[in-house]
Amino acid sequence: MSAGLQEKLARLGLLAATPSTASAVPPSVVSELPGRECLTCCGPVWMHERRFVPGAAPLPHGTRPLTSVEKALLFRRPPRHGAAVAFDIETTSLASGAGVNAFLVGLGWWHEGVVVVQQWLMRSPLEEEAMLASVLATLQRFTGMLSFCGRGFDIPRFRDRLAMAGRGEQLPVFPHDDLAPLARQMLTGRMKNARLASVEAELLGFRRVHDLPGSECPREWFALQRGQAHRMAAVMEHNAIDVASLFGVEWALFEELQQPRTPATAMLATVAALEAGEMMHAQRAANVADEILAADSAGQVPRGLAEQYRRARQRLHAAC
Amino acid sequence: MVERFLARLKSDPSLASRIAHWHREPAVAGASRPFPASLHPVLAESLKRRGIEDLYSHQAEAFEHVLAGRHTVVATPTASGKSQCYALPILSAMLAAREGRALGRDGSGRLLPAATRPTALFIFPTKALAQDQRAAVNETLAAEERADGGIRDLADAQALAVRGLAPIGAWTYDGDTPPDIRRRLRESGDIIITNPSMLHVAILPNHPRWADFFRRLRYVVIDEVHAQQGVAGASMANVLRRLSRIARHHGSEPVFIGCSATIANARTHFGRLVERDVELVDKSGAPRGERHHVLLNPPVINVPLGLRARAVDEAREVCRHFLKLGLPAIVFGRSRSRVEVLTKYLKDAAASLDLDPATVVGYRGGYLPDLRRRIEAGLRDGSIRMVAATNALELGVDIGSLDAVVMAGYPGSTASYMQQSGRAGRRRGASVTVLVASSLPLDQYVLQTPEHLFGARAGPEVIINPDNLVVATNHLKCAAFELPFRMEESFGSFPHTRAVLHALAVPGGPLFAKEGRTFWMDEAWPAEKVSLDGGSTDNFVVVEMPSGRSLGTVDRPAVMTTLHPQAIYQHQGEQFVITHLDWEGRRAEAEHVQVDYWTDAESRTEVQVLSEDQDAPRGLFRFGCGDVHTTRVATLWKRMRFYTNENVETGPIDLPPEELDTTAFWMALAPEMVDRLRLHDTARAGTLEGAASLLRSVVPALCQQGRSEVRALGLGSHPHFLSPVILLLDTVPGGIGLAEELMARHMALLRCALRVVRHCPCQVGCPACIGTGMARGPEAKRAVLELVSMALAAAEESSGCGPAAGVATIDSSGRIGFAALGAEGEH
């Protein structure tokens, strides 16, 4: 292009202040990335598989897959069978829109007592089609989904990407359990914010070290496009832990619900069991709640929960 | 009622003496045609039930064009049934599709498969208009209105049910649409009614969610096309480039339909806006009541100075007659502050006539939306009798029928005049428009040449420049966010597409190019930072203290002259003094005061020439245009007393300067001209300033740009030109095409200017010609006249335009006694 036009664009403030002169580094980055290249029907994509054993971060000792009844008690819904897949993506922006890329997809599931995390990374936007096709194929193996804020963020963003690729109809319609609203309600007053890292710290006693904050991930992927991959491994690590820890958080929230220590959790346990249709559990939880409330009636209870609990008690009473 | 006013106008000697021109448009019978064969029976029945047995000829014409897949612009007068021009063919196509019949072609001439249920996008300039339109379309089709307010089912619900057809859903989609309704309308809306801004920030960037809608998109309707000029027009053209690109991506080629007020170049303007060949429908078949246009020229109250009575005062007197006669009227003022002054005067007038001052209100941009909605409702239900408004009320906001329109000053363009005038006389009866001319040159030009308004091909042309580098580049970014570009892909007819894509794809830029495609590589979301009306997302809020109530907002460039400490901010005819300006916090604090003055401010502009894109030496003149950098700083505030307009006090303003990169047209004078025109010392600056002011004021006669979009400077010397120079500056970042347009038509500009100054009755220079700056006195006026005529002679001679309108010709014919003045000068 003409130097004149370039100058004019810069003067009008339409370009980055000073275009950096660093030229693209040759793509010798492959060796630095964990994982391997896989060939799909739509071309190559980068994949990485990791396994997380209970007892090693982020999964506490004793972490195990919840049974369908346990899940029903936790998520306040009737039990259903089949395996759930944990879902978490990294995007190039927190905004929505056609130009926001989901460059890394992490899926996780229980397999023979360990959590398997499978990640797909598109090293360039040209690998998006392959990544989407491969992720869709893997999702077919499951019947439910587990996420943290996935309903409002990950799934709509991912669906946009599929729509851009003309695959809008191909995302399986899963029952979706989102841990974020549950954690917010159960841990009211116990966390400084409702982010996954805070939940982990509170519930799992796990603090991430050298974790790359999620907000820095987009920058690293942009750097990868210029051939600078040194921190991409950290992005993948961050995403893998996000995925794996969903199972830890799910288990810990369930434990919390089983052994309520605060009035709020005790009330929740009663309400949840009732909504799951587990009357025995509900009665037991109500007894525990009464004990706790007798000892600590001043504990923090989210607005509305006390009312829900009152109605749950009435229903229980009527059923007996 | 109107007749009573007209009679008074003729009989009252004081009013009659002011009449410069009276134009009567006789009532028109209209022309109709039978319903077209492809008009869907449900629609025909619905029309018949309301007593409509045929279509106006222009509606029938548009019906055929639209169904044939031809892009069409309808430019017929206000209240000629323009919305039927597109609603009937579009709904017919939609209803046919529901019955499994294919009706209508798309923009590429393809007949679409019958199985596709077509969708349509209606774009109205404002949210209020979109709301009105939904109601109007529904009424047309005798549709059911549903209680949730979000959905209305179009077409006759019962008739559709009998035929086993699903109703047509038309929805407004704007900032007020709740999220759950948004989802429903994306999935099941047939017609989406929205505004350019929503299209720009919400729909296009999220087009994956609208995939199904875009896949079936067959019609795009754009209303108030004549208002799409300047930055708004250039932005709209670029939003449409993006829309076309997205539609194509999803496999559709929609038909574009525009509605416009009557403008000189509706076909070329709409063609430029949508970048397609378009058909023009401009012969209205609608009947119209008799209309009177009365042009009043206020009397000269100071003969040597040529000063006329103020338009605002004269308009107030005209309005008093309407108040007395009980005729509902709207009075348009040219600026927000003038409207506030008018509001105060008219409330006072109402009180003096024992009328309730609350029936008189002001209406302008910067009022908060709910106040505006309340005023609109008050006008419709008759509880408000008179409104003083800016052009914010000129667009088709539904305010019911009024009998009279008064304009305090010419609104700047024929299209605006016609729109404002069209607010009266929607009924069959007679109506009147009274234009009270101001002393401005353009107003006086219009009074001298009423054919400018009422001629066969009236008015200036609407110009837009979709290729403005700032606007096009910003939208190119938005487009690149929405869909990767192929490097060879075009973006409408933007000539620099490829170059700008390359420039954006450098390291550190927002794009990444790989294998001939571009990908968006930035966390920022471009549409958010791109405003459609030129960077006015940067607003200051005015807060009343101590209550904390928000009074309104002011765009940043206007802050230094309107919100400086001590400034009087006017709101609903009341005065507030600015007590504190928080520049960083974008907030001004104001206290209610009762004072008998308002404030005005002066500013100084410095210009640095960055490039000369065109350079045309013409004898002792040099015409050119190019890029400039300007620095504007506010210097002084002035307190002006109400009614007398007397300057009672001044003080300094200390605020940061406004920097602007833009384009300019210039006319530089060879140093010899200084001697030829006897332009020495103080006379020089005055003459140049006077000539600059004159040229600026006639710009709107050539192209439909408000005066506010041009700034004029006349400088005795300038380091770049090393000579005296007159600069006309575009006030839009990057320039909106004004400089190039003025360069191309500089001879016409000079001719207009010459006409104005020659015919001005003043002797010493006045606001109607060379302004009231330093240039004053017979000598100054002579010098400006001579300068302009010599410049014109030089330009015409070099371009071979035949006998020059030279100095000699003017010498002998100048109505203002140029020859005599000239002779005097030679003593």
Side-chain angles (χ1 to χ4, degrees):
Chain A
M1 75 177 288
S2 75
L5 184 62
Q6 175 100 38
E7 251 173 48
K8 202 163 165 177
L9 290 169
R11 213 166 50 226
L12 290 165
L14 295 166
L15 297 181
T18 38
S20 98
T21 46
S23 58
V25 174
S28 59
V29 299
V30 171
S31 56
E32 300 174 35
L33 284 173
R36 66 198 161 87
E37 185 178 283
C38 292
L39 204 61
T40 75
C41 59
C42 307
V45 66
W46 193 258
M47 286 174 68
H48 183 44
E49 191 177 295
R50 304 225 354 221
R51 278 155 199 267
F52 292 85
V53 189
L59 301 180
H61 275 293
T63 314
R64 57 173 176 80
L66 299 185
T67 67
S68 58
V69 168
E70 287 168 340
K71 274 179 165 275
L73 284 171
L74 182 62
F75 293 106
R76 305 181 209 174
R77 54 163 172 74
R80 52 179 177 243
H81 297 286
V85 63
F87 183 79
D88 188 66
I89 62 175
E90 303 303 324
T91 59
T92 53
S93 167
L94 286 179
S96 73
V100 176
N101 269 303
F103 61 86
L104 178 62
V105 178
L107 299 185
W109 56 86
W110 281 104
H111 180 72
E112 295 177 351
V114 300
V115 168
V116 178
V117 173
Q118 180 83 63
Q119 291 173 296
W120 287 259
L121 169 72
M122 56 185 212
R123 291 165 299 179
S124 96
L126 299 172
E127 291 183 347
E128 182 173 39
E129 179 89 46
M131 179 184 84
L132 295 176
S134 183
V135 170
L136 280 175
T138 308
L139 286 174
Q140 302 302 330
R141 290 162 34 197
F142 301 93
T143 57
M145 186 166 279
L146 183 68
S147 75
F148 196 87
C149 294
R151 279 179 184 281
F153 185 83
D154 302 66
I155 285 296
R157 299 296 181 283
F158 190 64
R159 193 183 288 123
D160 280 355
R161 296 322 299 170
L162 291 171
M164 285 287 285
R167 293 172 177 267
E169 309 305 313
Q170 297 178 23
L171 184 67
V173 185
F174 280 150
H176 186 153
D177 294 325
D178 192 331
L179 288 166
L182 199 60
R184 239 192 317 274
Q185 205 169 22
M186 278 174 62
L187 306 180
T188 304
R190 288 164 58 186
M191 301 180 300
K192 62 179 190 301
N193 59 40
R195 298 182 25 199
L196 182 56
S198 312
V199 175
E200 286 169 353
E202 174 63 28
L203 276 181
L204 312 183
F206 162 62
R207 283 188 199 283
R208 301 189 186 203
V209 278
H210 308 306
D211 183 45
L212 193 70
S215 60
E216 286 180 26
C217 294
R219 213 167 305 162
E220 296 310 319
W221 190 67
F222 298 147
L224 179 69
Q225 303 313 305
R226 295 193 299 273
Q228 294 150 9
H230 59 282
R231 293 229 289 174
M232 205 58 220
V235 174
M236 294 178 74
E237 172 77 8
H238 167 85
N239 172 261
I241 291 177
D242 275 0
V243 174
S245 95
L246 289 175
F247 292 105
V249 170
E250 182 192 38
W251 176 78
L253 283 173
F254 178 72
E255 290 288 294
E256 183 90 12
L257 205 60
Q258 289 307 99
Q259 281 128 35
R261 284 174 292 149
T262 66
T265 24
M267 287 179 176
L268 264 174
T270 314
V271 173
L274 203 64
E275 284 175 21
E278 298 287 324
M279 300 305 275
M280 296 267 285
H281 278 97
Q283 190 57 59
R284 209 161 41 216
N287 295 341
V288 177
D290 287 346
E291 272 172 43
I292 293 178
L293 284 171
D296 173 20
S297 58
Q300 271 200 21
V301 176
R303 207 182 305 159
L305 181 58
E307 175 58 24
Q308 281 181 39
Y309 176 71
R310 197 183 57 76
R311 270 187 267 125
R313 288 299 313 229
Q314 280 173 356
R315 275 176 61 196
L316 265 178
H317 190 74
C320 293
Chain B
M1 292 267 258
V2 169
E3 285 75 10
R4 283 177 62 196
F5 172 75
L6 296 175
R8 186 173 291 192
L9 202 52
K10 286 177 195 148
S11 61
D12 183 328
S14 144
L15 277 174
S17 68
R18 287 163 159 80
I19 299 172
H21 186 77
W22 188 319
H23 179 80
R24 178 179 159 270
E25 283 180 51
V28 178
S32 52
R33 297 229 204 116
F35 287 153
S38 34
L39 179 69
H40 195 275
V42 164
L43 301 175
E45 282 161 29
S46 165
L47 290 170
K48 279 183 189 155
R49 246 199 315 282
R50 293 189 299 127
I52 300 168
E53 300 284 339
D54 43 28
L55 297 186
Y56 297 142
S57 55
H58 63 281
Q59 293 172 334
E61 202 184 332
F63 189 93
E64 278 170 34
H65 283 318
V66 172
L67 284 188
R70 293 190 283 264
H71 310 294
T72 305
V73 59
V74 181
T76 53
T78 314
S80 56
K82 269 184 282 205
S83 45
Q84 301 277 25
C85 289
Y86 55 82
L88 296 178
I90 291 174
L91 289 166
S92 289
M94 289 179 168
L95 291 168
R98 278 165 162 64
E99 294 169 335
R101 285 187 294 121
L103 175 66
R105 294 173 185 278
D106 77 356
S108 63
R110 267 183 311 167
L111 194 64
L112 278 132
T116 314
R117 277 171 57 160
T119 58
L121 188 65
F122 291 5
I123 307 167
F124 291 85
T126 63
K127 203 156 76 177
L129 274 180
Q131 306 269 8
D132 280 357
Q133 185 57 26
R134 185 185 59 188
V137 173
N138 285 341
E139 192 193 5
T140 300
L141 299 158
E144 294 256 320
E145 262 189 31
R146 293 194 1 195
D148 63 7
I151 328 169
R152 319 264 168 127
D153 296 335
L154 290 192
D156 191 296
Q158 227 179 346
L160 287 171
V162 168
R163 287 176 162 77
L165 303 178
I168 291 172
W171 313 61
T172 49
Y173 187 79
D174 58 35
D176 299 340
T177 312
D180 55 324
I181 300 282
R182 289 185 182 203
R183 201 174 325 113
R184 272 168 71 191
L185 69 87
R186 279 202 296 265
E187 286 159 9
S188 64
D190 295 290
I191 298 174
I192 301 293
I193 306 176
T194 189
N195 56 59
S197 175
M198 279 306 276
L199 186 58
H200 161 60
V201 298
I203 298 178
L204 293 176
N206 285 302
H207 70 90
R209 292 175 193 186
W210 292 83
D212 194 43
F213 179 82
F214 279 115
R215 191 173 54 73
R216 298 178 290 131
L217 180 62
R218 204 186 306 168
Y219 301 103
V220 176
V221 173
I222 306 155
D223 199 16
E224 309 276 352
V225 161
H226 60 277
Q228 301 293 354
Q229 52 160 330
V231 181
S235 301
M236 186 67 192
N238 279 282
V239 169
L240 293 176
R241 286 172 171 171
R242 287 160 56 196
L243 173 66
S244 297
R245 200 167 164 261
I246 298 296
R248 202 164 295 141
H249 170 76
H250 292 282
S252 61
E253 285 286 345
V255 181
F256 287 84
I257 305 149
C259 289
S260 171
T262 43
I263 51 173
N265 61 335
R267 185 201 292 259
T268 50
H269 174 58
F270 189 60
R272 192 102 212 269
L273 195 65
V274 300
E275 297 186 295
R276 287 163 169 85
D277 292 332
V278 305
E279 300 290 335
L280 172 67
V281 174
D282 65 348
K283 290 187 186 52
S284 171
R288 279 164 69 119
E290 188 181 50
R291 298 160 66 87
H292 293 268
H293 299 266
V294 183
L295 312 190
L296 298 184
N297 209 4
V300 175
I301 50 173
N302 180 326
V303 177
L305 296 180
L307 273 184
R308 291 179 185 278
R310 294 172 65 227
V312 168
D313 299 335
E314 295 276 307
R316 180 190 66 206
E317 288 311 307
V318 173
C319 290
R320 274 182 75 95
H321 289 288
F322 289 123
L323 283 172
K324 269 191 235 165
L325 290 168
L327 280 175
I330 178 168
V331 49
F332 285 102
R334 265 194 304 230
S335 66
R336 291 182 179 188
S337 65
R338 202 165 305 178
V339 162
E340 289 297 346
V341 170
L342 265 171
T343 307
K344 178 180 156 46
Y345 288 179
L346 293 174
K347 278 179 183 285
D348 292 351
S352 74
L353 292 169
D354 280 335
L355 299 169
D356 180 3
T359 60
V360 176
V361 296
Y363 183 105
R364 58 167 173 85
Y367 280 3
L368 300 173
D370 66 314
L371 176 57
R372 290 170 68 157
R373 298 295 95 77
R374 279 209 305 277
I375 295 173
E376 287 157 19
L379 281 165
R380 280 194 296 268
D381 67 24
S383 59
I384 291 173
R385 304 296 292 172
M386 185 164 286
V387 62
T390 59
N391 59 4
L393 204 50
E394 156 187 332
L395 300 174
V397 177
D398 179 19
I399 51 170
S401 306
L402 295 167
D403 297 312
V405 165
V406 179
M407 299 173 199
Y410 179 63
S413 75
T414 317
S416 280
Y417 176 88
M418 290 305 167
Q419 285 290 104
Q420 295 187 356
S421 167
R423 301 321 312 241
R426 285 167 181 260
R427 287 185 233 159
R428 301 260 155 134
S431 63
V432 62
T433 298
V434 180
L435 167 65
V436 181
S438 76
S439 292
L440 286 174
L442 184 64
D443 291 45
Q444 294 299 319
Y445 175 80
V446 168
L447 288 200
Q448 284 158 28
T449 51
E451 63 270 21
H452 184 85
L453 284 179
F454 309 116
R457 249 179 72 87
E461 307 207 327
V462 176
I463 62 157
I464 54 166
N465 174 22
D467 297 334
N468 166 283
L469 199 56
V470 178
V471 176
T473 299
N474 277 331
H475 286 276
L476 189 65
K477 284 185 196 172
C478 297
F481 175 88
E482 285 151 10
L483 210 56
F485 267 94
R486 283 170 286 107
M487 272 304 185
E488 72 281 6
E489 195 179 332
S490 60
F491 184 53
S493 59
F494 182 46
H496 306 301
T497 306
R498 201 189 168 115
V500 173
L501 285 175
H502 275 288
L504 295 173
V506 297
L511 290 185
F512 174 67
K514 191 157 178 131
E515 297 189 8
R517 294 168 72 198
T518 68
F519 298 92
W520 186 256
M521 286 291 154
D522 202 289
E523 287 183 71
W525 178 53
E528 193 178 32
K529 291 183 194 134
V530 176
S531 127
L532 295 186
D533 51 11
S536 68
T537 47
D538 196 1
N539 281 338
F540 280 58
V541 61
V542 185
V543 181
E544 185 192 7
M545 299 308 282
S547 70
R549 174 173 72 117
S550 292
L551 294 173
T553 57
V554 173
D555 299 344
R556 199 197 66 204
V559 165
M560 66 159 108
T561 52
T562 55
L563 293 186
H564 55 84
Q566 308 272 20
I568 296 293
Y569 178 80
Q570 303 192 74
H571 180 78
Q572 277 291 326
E574 297 187 20
Q575 288 77 48
F576 297 83
V577 64
I578 302 296
T579 52
H580 177 69
L581 179 66
D582 174 5
W583 193 269
E584 299 302 316
R586 297 293 190 254
R587 182 172 185 276
E589 292 179 1
E591 275 173 25
H592 191 207
V593 285
Q594 288 193 320
V595 290
D596 62 349
Y597 57 80
W598 48 287
T599 51
D600 198 3
E602 285 184 0
S603 64
R604 193 183 65 235
T605 305
E606 278 167 19
V607 179
Q608 186 193 352
V609 177
L610 302 171
S611 74
E612 294 194 19
D613 294 345
Q614 291 186 52
D615 178 35
R618 300 276 184 265
L620 293 174
F621 292 85
R622 222 184 169 89
F623 298 93
C625 67
D627 294 343
V628 295
H629 178 86
T630 71
T631 310
R632 181 165 167 252
V633 57
T635 50
L636 283 180
W637 52 257
K638 299 183 287 189
R639 284 192 181 144
M640 315 293 287
R641 184 156 282 156
F642 281 120
Y643 295 97
T644 65
N645 228 16
E646 164 199 4
N647 179 353
V648 289
E649 198 181 344
T650 59
I653 300 175
D654 181 24
L655 287 176
E658 280 288 329
E659 312 257 342
L660 177 70
D661 264 297
T662 184
T663 57
F665 160 77
W666 56 74
M667 178 173 102
L669 286 65
E672 296 97 295
M673 285 301 295
V674 175
D675 292 329
R676 288 274 294 270
L677 292 170
R678 295 178 296 279
L679 291 180
H680 296 288
D681 308 322
T682 51
R684 190 193 309 182
T687 303
L688 290 161
E689 190 193 284
S693 158
L694 172 67
L695 289 173
R696 174 199 181 204
S697 61
V698 294
V699 167
L702 298 186
C703 41
Q704 190 176 319
Q705 303 279 340
R707 270 172 82 247
S708 59
E709 287 164 296
V710 193
R711 185 159 286 134
L713 287 180
L715 303 169
S717 66
H718 187 279
H720 179 83
F721 299 99
L722 300 171
S723 69
V725 65
I726 289 169
L727 290 141
L728 295 182
L729 303 163
D730 195 323
T731 55
V732 171
I736 201 61
L738 207 62
E740 293 90 331
E741 186 73 11
L742 292 177
M743 181 63 197
R745 301 176 69 189
H746 63 270
M747 279 187 278
L749 180 75
L750 290 165
R751 278 187 210 114
C752 278
L754 196 56
R755 182 178 182 123
V756 165
V757 75
R758 274 173 63 189
H759 288 85
C760 186
C762 76
Q763 292 160 10
V764 296
C766 72
C769 55
I770 63 172
T772 54
M774 285 184 278
R776 262 298 154 85
E779 189 64 9
K781 188 169 176 185
R782 178 203 58 79
V784 170
L785 177 56
E786 204 170 10
L787 168 57
V788 173
S789 59
M790 286 177 81
L792 179 61
E796 286 185 334
E797 198 168 350
S798 306
S799 68
C801 266
V807 181
T809 326
I810 292 157
D811 254 353
S812 55
S813 71
R815 257 173 55 190
I816 60 144
F818 167 66
L821 284 171
E824 200 176 83
E826 278 166 21
H827 284 189

